[in-house]
Amino acid sequence: MTTVISEFEIIRRYFTRPAPSAILGVGDDCALVKARQGMVLAVSTDMLVEGTHFLAGTDPERLGHKTLAVNLSDLAAMGADARWVLLSAALPTVDEAWVDAFARGFHALAERSGVELIGGDTTRGPLCLSVTVLGELPAGLELRRSGAGLGDDIWLSGATGEAALALACLQGHARLSDALLNDCKLRLEAPEPRLELGGRLRGIASSAIDVSDGLVADLGHVAEVSSLRADLLLDALPRAAALRACGDAALAQRCLLAGGDDYELVFTAPVAARSDLEALAIELNLPLTRIGSMQAGAPGVVVRAADGSEVKLSHRGFDHFQP
Ligand code: ADP
Ligand code: MG
């Protein structure tokens, strides 16, 4: 239902929430925040455009969750604790039921993640959602992409591929049972940002990145800026049940290595950190898998089969401006 409601009423009803840890939240020309003693601010922004980042008709509650989740994922990949968020929304019409569901998904994840909404912008336009997040971390402990060291292990949280497989199914390129498709759709539409893991990796991991464009592509960024070759062991990669069940091995491998939209963390750590990371996986109840190592060589990613031979890839990841 489309009702007549003003921009200010939308902001007041759906996007004004208490922000006790900010000096000033929603309602003035700027919000005011202050990092705690010895902490630096980590800032990131990510935009979701209908038709590009999500399909028209996506469940609004899940979209509210995902809009925030993909941004929190960047904080996680930097090892930052989430503190504040700004939300800019272009909405084609004011469908209050839609806004209400979107806000519910957004605020539920915000509360659970300890992040406060402190501002944004609301305007009419083609559906587009843009979030800016601010996090905090102790100065000097950030997990940069450039920190991977020679001989470090490469680790992955959770598993990749289910989100891309859901998209392939929704676009008619693959088929799954209803139960498996629902699991995959949840991964696509409501990814879980690995914030707790990111924070705990401070002082353990040497580098980190979140997998948004595909495992090989994103690990490739780490390899490039760390000036090392990432050797990825194909057989070591965790495979979700849906990937094993989809009946199309080539598609499953492409989803696994180059699917994107996973929002898992791929990170490097010295061999000496293995037992700490194994214990952390148990503590967080989140699988952490060793999937390869950083070696001397031309910066980039090499995927290896069990016999050590190089696996040729048809796709390395998602790029908005490449076919
Ligand atoms: P301005 O005209 O200065 O841009 P606005 O009228 O757009 O101010 O916004 C008024 C207040 O509401 C500001 O504090 C702004 O940050 C906040 N705000 C606007 N839209 C949103 C939104 N979608 N989510 C959170 N806060 C918002
Ligand atoms: Mg404005």
Side-chain angles (χ1 to χ4, degrees), residues 148-211:
L150 181 64
D152 282 359
D153 292 320
I154 303 167
W155 293 79
L156 176 71
S157 68
T160 57
E162 287 167 289
L165 185 55
L167 188 60
C169 289
L170 295 174
Q171 293 175 331
H173 304 310
R175 285 182 69 91
L176 285 171
S177 69
D178 287 352
L180 287 175
L181 179 57
N182 278 337
D183 290 351
C184 290
K185 271 184 72 181
L186 194 63
R187 295 296 310 261
L188 175 67
E189 295 174 355
E192 187 60 32
R194 303 302 186 193
L195 272 173
E196 204 176 357
L197 172 63
R200 294 294 296 277
L201 290 178
R202 292 196 297 258
I204 298 178
S206 51
S207 74
I209 191 169
D210 64 324
V211 183

Side-chain angles (χ1 to χ4, degrees), residues 12-85:
R12 192 190 66 77
R13 266 190 222 172
Y14 299 107
F15 299 119
T16 304
R17 294 289 181 278
S21 77
I23 299 167
L24 191 61
V26 168
D28 213 311
D29 298 313
C30 291
L32 300 173
V33 297
K34 188 174 187 291
R36 286 173 287 203
Q37 192 76 35
M39 307 286 261
V40 293
L41 290 176
V43 185
S44 181
T45 193
D46 247 318
M47 186 159 67
L48 270 73
V49 178
E50 185 179 61
T52 302
H53 300 94
F54 60 92
L55 301 172
T58 294
D59 176 75
E61 189 168 347
R62 287 192 176 180
L63 187 61
H65 172 102
K66 183 166 180 176
T67 300
L68 179 57
V70 302
N71 280 275
L72 295 179
S73 179
D74 282 318
L75 289 181
M78 209 69 193
D81 299 325
R83 299 297 309 279
W84 302 289
V85 60

Side-chain angles (χ1 to χ4, degrees), residues 141-271:
L141 285 188
E142 73 276 4
L143 305 176
R144 297 190 187 209
R145 296 178 180 183
S146 57
L150 181 64
D152 282 359
D153 292 320
I154 303 167
W155 293 79
L156 176 71
S157 68
T160 57
E162 287 167 289
L165 185 55
L167 188 60
C169 289
L170 295 174
Q171 293 175 331
H173 304 310
R175 285 182 69 91
L176 285 171
S177 69
D178 287 352
L180 287 175
L181 179 57
N182 278 337
D183 290 351
C184 290
K185 271 184 72 181
L186 194 63
R187 295 296 310 261
L188 175 67
E189 295 174 355
E192 187 60 32
R194 303 302 186 193
L195 272 173
E196 204 176 357
L197 172 63
R200 294 294 296 277
L201 290 178
R202 292 196 297 258
I204 298 178
S206 51
S207 74
I209 191 169
D210 64 324
V211 183
S212 54
D213 295 330
L215 178 59
V216 170
D218 287 317
L219 181 57
H221 298 312
V222 171
E224 286 288 337
V225 293
S226 296
S227 302
L228 291 169
R229 189 186 71 220
D231 275 7
L232 205 59
L233 305 175
L234 187 57
D235 287 357
L237 290 175
R239 280 175 181 70
L243 267 74
R244 285 182 266 116
C246 86
D248 180 341
L251 176 72
Q253 179 163 312
R254 191 173 152 189
C255 290
L256 188 71
L257 292 169
D261 249 352
D262 301 296
Y263 302 101
E264 294 295 349
L265 296 186
V266 60
F267 57 96
T268 59
V271 170

